[in-house]
């Protein structure tokens, strides 16, 4: 499915510009995952995008057989403020998250929590992320039928307290809490939002 990845990379370049760096990681028994870095100097942001997760459709873990054609496809996006932390160390954790559907047989969808079990980058108060809705920064990429479109899912880093609170109250409640508190979700060093 290399042709899908060519289309995916073209969509990323159209939306985010030219990547200034890329890294490739391969885990035993999985396809290669690349992570591209895009610098938005004007906005003071760094964006990271996975490339490779969408090569295969995600399979419903309750299905006896995985459909090699049909099924949701996605890539992951992470945006952080530049220069506040060594966020380039997030490349391996992002690749781990992108390999999750192949390794663990899960479908990554909006509202889901993903955890890497260690800080996303050195000194990060986050080891997990909330998967947000696609369609904002990078538009979904329609593929020829019967293939599902590729969705570009933003990742919102969560502190351990926020992740625990989200498990009890749900993703929407956490997003509303962030919004009502004016939380800067792009701050790589931010503290947990007030939870009561």
């Amino acid at each position: 499915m290399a042709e899908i990845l060519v289309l995916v990379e073209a969509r990323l370049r159209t939306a985010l510009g030219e990547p200034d760096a890329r890294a490739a990681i391969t885990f035993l028994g999985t396809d290669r995952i690349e992570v591209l870095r895009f610098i938005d100097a004007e906005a003071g942001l760094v964006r990271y995008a996975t490339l490779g997760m969408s090569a295969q459709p995600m399979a419903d873990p309750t299905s006896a057989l995985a459909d090699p054609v049909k099924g949701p496809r996605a890539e992951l996006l992470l945006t952080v403020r530049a220069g506040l932390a060594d966020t380039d160390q997030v490349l391996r954790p992002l690749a781990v998250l992108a390999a999750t559907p192949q390794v663990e047989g899960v479908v990554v969808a909006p509202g889901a929590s993903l955890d890497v079990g260690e800080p996303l980058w050195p000194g990060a108060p986050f080891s997990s992320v909330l998967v947000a809705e696609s369609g904002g920064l990078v538009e979904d990429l329609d593929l020829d039928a019967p293939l599902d479109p590729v969705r570009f899912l933003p990742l919102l880093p969560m502190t351990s307290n926020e992740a625990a609170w989200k498990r009890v109250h749900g993703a929407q409640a956490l997003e509303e809490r962030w919004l009502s508190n004016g939380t800067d979700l792009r701050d790589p060093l931010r503290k947990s939002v007030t939870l009561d």
Side-chain angles (χ1 to χ4, degrees):
M1 291 296 182
E3 62 274 11
I4 290 176
L5 297 184
V6 169
L7 296 172
V8 167
E9 184 168 353
R11 175 59 54 95
L12 288 169
R13 287 172 183 263
T14 299
L16 305 176
E18 287 298 310
D20 80 318
R22 65 193 308 146
I25 298 174
T26 305
F27 303 101
L28 188 63
T30 67
D31 294 332
R32 174 175 138 138
I33 302 284
E34 287 189 83
V35 180
L36 311 183
R37 182 180 71 185
F38 300 86
I39 303 288
D40 184 342
E42 194 174 305
L45 300 173
V46 183
R47 303 185 197 281
Y48 302 94
T50 63
L51 180 62
M53 181 178 173
S54 60
Q56 303 295 328
M58 293 182 274
D60 183 339
T62 61
S63 298
L65 285 173
D67 190 315
V69 176
K70 291 185 179 179
R73 294 173 189 266
E75 296 291 353
L76 306 176
L77 300 170
L78 176 69
T79 302
V80 293
R81 297 212 175 280
L84 300 178
D86 186 11
T87 56
D88 281 351
Q89 299 300 315
V90 78
L91 301 181
R92 183 171 177 75
L94 267 182
V96 168
L97 295 178
T100 301
Q102 289 182 59
V103 174
E104 297 180 18
V106 298
V107 175
V108 175
S113 299
L114 301 173
D115 196 314
V116 293
E118 61 185 38
L120 293 175
W121 51 82
F126 324 104
S127 65
S128 63
V129 294
L130 175 65
V131 181
E133 290 286 344
S134 67
L137 188 62
V138 182
E139 289 183 28
D140 293 353
L141 173 64
D142 290 327
L143 301 174
D144 293 336
L147 302 179
D148 286 24
V150 176
R151 300 174 77 195
F152 297 89
L153 302 172
L155 300 179
L156 308 174
M158 293 187 292
T159 66
S160 56
N161 286 346
E162 290 168 341
W165 197 84
K166 182 255 177 192
R167 281 192 292 277
V168 174
H169 299 281
Q172 185 176 350
L174 178 58
E175 290 187 65
E176 288 170 2
R177 183 60 59 102
W178 282 335
L179 189 61
S180 66
N181 282 273
T183 306
D184 181 2
L185 296 173
R186 294 173 173 171
D187 180 353
L189 300 173
R190 74 172 180 84
K191 304 288 186 242
S192 183
V193 71
T194 305
L195 303 167
D196 46 26

